[in-house]
Amino acid sequence: MATLIPTLGAARFDARGELRLAERLKDCLEDNAWVWHNIPVGPFGRHPDFVALHPQQGIVVLEVKDWRLDTIGNASSKQVELITDRAMFRLTILSSRCAITCSTWWIR
């Protein structure tokens, strides 16, 4: 069981998907893994949803998107279209580092 910082009881999650992932990371990773939620990272103090560190496997930074299957209009290896009640978003993956740009079309 991984160590989660802050603990599940003390953390504030922006979406239900973040809570679900936190529970799974805590339960499924090995005892020597550490997982931080919503901590400032880098020179600009960005707050990724999770940073996980494993001594043998390395580090991974995770940003959770709590999408439902019925909100995905189209998806490919380069682009995802999301449909919501208010707008359709097209997210384009720029590189293997998963930098994303976003375009928005308002639905009337």
Side-chain angles (χ1 to χ4, degrees):
M1 188 176 295
T3 301
L4 185 64
I5 301 170
T7 62
L8 281 175
R12 297 184 71 191
F13 299 101
D14 296 331
R16 189 156 185 242
E18 289 182 20
L19 172 60
R20 288 193 311 262
L21 181 60
E23 291 169 340
R24 280 153 187 81
L25 290 170
K26 183 177 184 284
D27 293 341
C28 296
L29 292 177
E30 297 171 2
D31 291 342
N32 58 349
W34 292 76
V35 180
W36 291 267
H37 174 260
N38 201 24
I39 61 167
V41 174
F44 298 108
R46 307 277 189 209
H47 285 77
D49 293 328
F50 296 97
V51 176
L53 173 67
H54 186 279
Q56 286 78 38
Q57 301 299 321
I59 189 169
V60 65
V61 178
L62 302 168
E63 184 67 30
V64 176
K65 300 300 174 210
D66 199 11
W67 300 336
R68 294 184 327 270
L69 186 58
D70 62 343
T71 62
I72 300 173
N74 193 7
S76 71
S77 62
K78 300 285 183 194
Q79 198 169 77
V80 176
E81 288 181 2
L82 298 177
I83 302 168
T84 68
D85 292 339
R86 297 185 319 222
M88 180 172 69
F89 300 90
R90 179 174 289 152
L91 306 173
T92 304
I93 300 170
L94 297 178
S95 72
S96 60
R97 296 179 61 172
C98 293
I100 293 178
T101 60
C102 180
S103 300
T104 305
W105 296 272
W106 295 104
I107 297 173
R108 300 189 194 280

